[in-house]
Amino acid sequence: MREDVEAIEERDDETPSATGGCLCGAVRYRLFGPLRDVINCHCGQCQRTHGNFAAYTQIKRSAFSCDERQGLRWYSSSDRARRGFCRICGASLFWERLDGDAISISAGSIDPPSGLKTMQDIFVADKGDYTELAPGTVVTLEGRRGGKAQPEVNAYTSVGQGVADLAKGETGETE
């Protein structure tokens, strides 16, 4: 298991596509290349980690560089994934599969303007009873309490491209 996020290579001569970090600055990172649009995860782990649903973008791990990591700590949230956070200010920053080649990044930790848009909500069966989804939201009803993923669109609109991606298994799910 990875013990820390390390810079993949020196990129002093390359301009990052985005930068970001935690509230106190004890964790800062640079991203190189296109980011996936945001997926909102409503699973119970994300709710407890973030205090609400979690909004994550994603990038290949090879396109990620962590420049300031004095506050970075990892929590093994399951036998398949871990979550990165700042031990000083408490910011929840990263999520990654242990066997994956991508890292998910909390969209709110990216320096504006991010240019990102929300593309989907997952684990909606577990969403907080206080959460209202916007009309037209592409959702996956699967919840941690069981059941199979069933891509749907919030009843207020017609099916969009996101549902086609879901049907192909491109959910970007977190754990």
Side-chain angles (χ1 to χ4, degrees):
M1 180 164 103
R2 298 178 190 115
E3 291 300 317
D4 198 356
V5 173
E6 298 177 9
I8 301 305
E9 62 184 74
E10 284 300 317
R11 298 177 184 260
D12 292 334
D13 61 339
E14 193 175 346
T15 302
S17 57
T19 59
C22 68
L23 180 62
C24 72
V27 179
R28 292 291 302 164
Y29 59 83
R30 292 179 294 153
L31 308 171
F32 300 89
L35 295 167
R36 182 201 67 202
D37 276 336
V38 174
I39 293 177
N40 296 328
C41 182
H42 296 269
C43 80
Q45 285 190 12
C46 282
Q47 288 183 56
R48 292 194 183 268
T49 301
H50 291 265
N52 201 350
F53 64 86
Y56 281 112
T57 183
Q58 190 175 75
I59 197 164
K60 293 280 187 194
R61 190 137 187 343
S62 60
F64 174 89
S65 176
C66 191
D67 300 321
E68 179 58 60
R69 68 189 86 187
Q70 73 178 14
L72 183 60
R73 293 297 178 268
W74 290 96
Y75 171 70
S76 295
S77 55
S78 74
D79 59 351
R80 298 180 303 186
R82 69 183 187 158
R83 296 169 183 275
F85 66 96
C86 177
R87 69 174 179 82
I88 298 168
C89 68
S92 181
L93 301 166
F94 311 117
W95 180 91
E96 73 175 345
R97 285 188 189 279
L98 298 177
D99 63 353
D101 66 347
I103 185 166
S104 294
I105 300 150
S106 176
S109 72
I110 296 174
D111 298 330
S114 72
L116 297 170
K117 295 183 181 358
T118 298
M119 65 183 268
Q120 175 184 354
D121 283 71
I122 61 174
F123 295 110
V124 172
D126 293 344
K127 75 175 182 61
D129 57 3
Y130 51 84
T131 302
E132 294 284 331
L133 298 177
T137 303
V138 175
V139 300
T140 300
L141 296 177
E142 179 178 28
R144 292 285 182 217
R145 297 179 203 109
K148 187 165 172 62
Q150 298 177 0
E152 295 193 6
V153 173
N154 191 330
Y156 300 108
T157 192
S158 61
V159 175
Q161 178 59 43
V163 172
D165 292 341
L166 283 172
K168 291 187 254 175
E170 298 175 14
T171 62
E173 295 174 354
T174 62
E175 300 176 353

